[in-house]
Amino acid sequence: MAGNRRRVARQGTYPRIRFKAAAALCITGLAGLIVAWTSTLVIVPHRWSPSSVLAALRGAAGSLEHLREESASATAIITTQGKGAQSSAWRDARTSLRRKLPPYDYAVAWLSDTQYYAQSYPRIFRQMTRFIANHHRELNIRYVVHTGDIVNRDQARRQWRRASDSMAVLDRAGIPYGVLAGNHDVNTSQPSYVQFSRYFGEQRFRGQATYGESYLDNRGHYDLVQAGKQKLLFVYMGWEIGENELRWMERILKRHAGYRAILCLHHYMNAAGERSAVGEVVYERIVVRHPNVAAVLCGHEHNAALLVNYMDDNHDGTRDRTVYQLLADYQKGRLGGEGYMRLLLFDEQSGQLHVRTYSPLIGQFNYYKGELSTKDEFSLPWPPWPSA
């Protein structure tokens, strides 16, 4: 930092600018370089230079102004606070998030398709899980889902180590979570679960209070989560779902028929928001036949979509159950997806499930903007489960 300070001084512009190296205000990462300047907090692109720093500072001239500059390499967010706001800038940004969300009781965070973070942007991956760890009490995040493609190359141990380290943030924070293997995690040309088992096998989760049972060293597993008045069953199944996998899922759903079930899969819907071929099989064999299935979460396809089906479980001609099938995969975005994740917010009082999409990297809601923002922000009826 000292060398860069001297370089800026030699530019002959803004000679009285002082860069403070306080740990809370001066952080270097893929999101950019954060610099404290008098009463201003400035974030400049990761590929920064003295000129980009000066440009950012010039733009931070007013009070309570926000500037977002987008380029192929980075996002610059410049936030200007009033006098004396340096030490509280991050705290204010973090504590204000709950106020931007609708009323709810508890939340589930949902990650998917983090492969480019593991491959090229590991600090973003870690920033996402650190966000969850740092905010899980404030936001009452009770559980975290990862629906696969954890890494981009199944034989790249460096990617697995990065992913493991990022998810270990949740381990240290005591936040229960579940993962599954996507196609990139097992190499579809010669499928192998060796690396997945090494880093995310049963042994990693055996001591987790929510962990139920493993199928073939965590190729599939289930978690039991007590949240508010709800008893939730999260059933996971990784890549390559065949007859044996379907039978295992059926057995788990029958065993825990009193739990409201959420299926976590990698490939279930296509980019058009319709069920894929394997999705149709799972739908007919699992979703339709088991009245405790309430939702399906999936990734794989580069889109965000919602598919709703209504079930007449007792065949009396009236709707008994609504099943929400959600696709969320942002990997095609800049920097591997700009750090976007889903927040599933359960409001028991109003009987609503609020879905929100947030990036702790850039501090914004909704990957899709404008008229398309409804793909990332919506609310669904979620009435009390009969056995709750």
Side-chain angles (χ1 to χ4, degrees):
M1 175 62 72
N4 292 323
R5 181 171 59 242
R6 287 193 295 269
R7 289 178 63 193
V8 172
R10 283 199 298 269
Q11 297 295 318
T13 310
Y14 293 88
R16 287 174 290 185
I17 293 173
R18 296 182 62 189
F19 291 81
K20 299 184 180 181
L25 291 173
C26 186
I27 305 167
T28 302
L30 286 171
L33 174 72
I34 304 171
V35 179
W37 172 47
T38 60
S39 62
T40 303
L41 182 68
V42 179
I43 304 177
V44 300
H46 175 59
R47 295 181 179 178
W48 64 280
S49 64
S51 60
S52 65
V53 173
L54 292 172
L57 291 172
R58 291 189 190 101
S63 176
L64 298 176
E65 295 179 357
H66 298 273
L67 170 66
R68 183 182 181 198
E69 298 175 352
E70 295 188 352
S71 66
S73 61
T75 297
I77 307 167
I78 299 177
T79 306
T80 308
Q81 301 288 345
K83 185 177 181 180
Q86 290 177 340
S87 61
S88 62
W90 275 115
R91 183 177 66 251
D92 292 345
R94 291 163 63 176
T95 56
S96 66
L97 180 59
R98 182 72 187 246
R99 295 196 295 267
K100 297 178 181 179
L101 297 171
Y104 69 94
D105 296 295
Y106 47 85
V108 171
W110 170 23
L111 312 178
S112 193
D113 296 270
T114 55
Q115 63 253 49
Y116 293 130
Y117 303 139
Q119 175 178 273
S120 304
Y121 311 108
R123 294 184 185 179
I124 297 179
F125 201 161
R126 180 163 290 201
Q127 185 173 353
M128 294 169 73
T129 53
R130 280 178 175 169
F131 166 81
I132 296 171
N134 292 339
H135 293 264
H136 78 279
R137 289 189 178 87
E138 173 199 350
L139 301 180
N140 199 15
I141 298 175
R142 306 294 294 275
Y143 185 73
V144 180
V145 173
H146 194 310
T147 48
D149 275 359
I150 304 169
V151 302
N152 197 42
R153 295 288 180 264
D154 71 300
Q155 295 302 313
R157 292 194 179 186
R158 186 180 187 185
Q159 294 182 29
W160 284 110
R161 288 193 296 269
R162 288 170 168 175
S164 179
D165 290 346
S166 294
M167 298 303 288
V169 172
L170 304 179
D171 293 321
R172 291 190 291 272
I175 304 171
Y177 65 95
V179 304
L180 59 84
N183 53 304
H184 283 264
D185 301 320
V186 300
N187 185 358
T188 55
S189 60
Q190 295 180 327
S192 170
Y193 271 81
V194 171
Q195 297 299 332
F196 176 83
S197 294
R198 175 174 296 164
Y199 291 93
F200 292 99
E202 179 182 356
Q203 78 285 346
R204 181 174 185 137
F205 300 93
R206 195 178 291 127
Q208 188 171 280
T210 59
Y211 195 68
E213 177 186 305
S214 168
Y215 170 77
L216 296 181
D217 198 16
N218 229 36
R219 294 190 188 191
H221 84 277
Y222 72 88
D223 285 328
L224 299 174
V225 178
Q226 181 76 46
K229 298 178 181 179
Q230 281 196 112
K231 295 191 298 182
L232 296 174
L233 167 66
F234 290 87
V235 181
Y236 291 75
M237 187 54 67
W239 190 257
E240 289 194 309
I241 298 178
E243 183 62 27
N244 290 337
E245 288 72 27
L246 292 168
R247 289 179 179 177
W248 182 85
M249 295 169 71
E250 288 176 329
R251 180 167 59 84
I252 298 305
L253 288 164
K254 289 177 181 178
R255 180 192 300 174
H256 298 284
Y259 282 74
R260 198 174 209 166
I262 297 177
L263 305 184
C264 303
L265 310 171
H266 184 61
H267 188 201
Y268 178 86
M269 296 169 67
N270 59 32
E274 302 169 343
R275 283 184 293 272
S276 62
V278 67
E280 281 295 341
V281 173
V282 173
Y283 178 77
E284 294 295 339
R285 282 284 299 272
I286 305 298
V287 176
V288 172
R289 297 183 186 183
H290 296 274
N292 54 335
V293 175
V296 182
L297 308 181
C298 67
H300 185 64
E301 296 286 357
H302 314 147
N303 199 358
L306 169 67
L307 179 62
V308 181
N309 284 101
Y310 303 97
M311 306 295 171
D312 178 10
D313 292 319
N314 58 10
H315 307 290
D316 64 352
T318 60
R319 295 176 179 176
D320 298 306
R321 174 170 52 113
T322 303
V323 178
Y324 303 116
Q325 299 141 97
L326 292 83
L327 162 67
D329 175 2
Y330 303 102
Q331 65 174 288
K332 278 295 185 69
R334 295 181 310 109
L335 303 175
E338 291 187 310
Y340 277 96
M341 66 176 72
R342 281 281 170 94
L343 297 175
L344 309 180
L345 313 175
F346 296 86
D347 183 355
E348 292 188 344
Q349 183 174 356
S350 66
Q352 293 282 308
L353 169 59
H354 306 293
V355 179
R356 297 296 184 267
T357 306
Y358 181 73
S359 167
L361 174 68
I362 60 176
Q364 291 189 4
F365 287 94
N366 299 342
Y367 174 84
Y368 293 98
K369 308 298 183 184
E371 295 180 356
L372 296 178
S373 64
T374 54
K375 297 171 67 169
D376 278 339
E377 180 177 333
F378 51 91
S379 297
L380 304 167
W382 191 264
W385 186 244
S387 61

